Amino acid sequence: MNRLTSTDGRRSHAPETPHPVQSAKPSGFTLVELLVVIGIIAVLISILLPSLGRIRDQAAATKCLANMKQIGTAFTMYVNDNKG
């Protein structure tokens, strides 16, 4: 039996093992899609940076208050140990 002959004896136009059809559109991102994503990330970062600066300032103020409390506690302990 020939490769182009089917089981009922008629000739077929396609081979028995067809080749996989490749899509016309390649898989991956286009330059425009990548630029849009980079632009969105840049906008999100520009929104977050000022709030991160405020958080950093608030952390420094909290640290300062904790240090002042420690100094006050140490001063109180010194006064109590040395009777005024």
Side-chain angles (χ1 to χ4, degrees):
M1 187 182 277
N2 192 342
R3 274 184 36 175
L4 296 177
T5 307
S6 64
T7 56
D8 59 356
R10 293 184 296 167
R11 291 185 64 83
S12 173
H13 292 292
E16 291 176 8
T17 56
H19 296 290
V21 178
Q22 294 194 6
S23 63
K25 185 176 180 183
S27 60
F29 297 108
T30 64
L31 179 62
V32 174
E33 290 170 336
L34 290 174
L35 290 175
V36 167
V37 170
I38 290 171
I40 290 171
I41 291 172
V43 168
L44 291 175
I45 288 173
S46 68
I47 290 171
L48 287 177
L49 282 180
S51 63
L52 291 177
R54 281 181 289 209
I55 291 171
R56 190 176 298 119
D57 292 342
Q58 189 177 8
T62 303
K63 182 179 177 182
C64 182
L65 284 173
N67 288 339
M68 289 174 62
K69 180 181 177 188
Q70 290 290 340
I71 291 171
T73 303
F75 182 73
T76 302
M77 290 172 63
Y78 175 81
V79 169
N80 290 335
D81 286 346
N82 293 306
K83 297 180 178 42

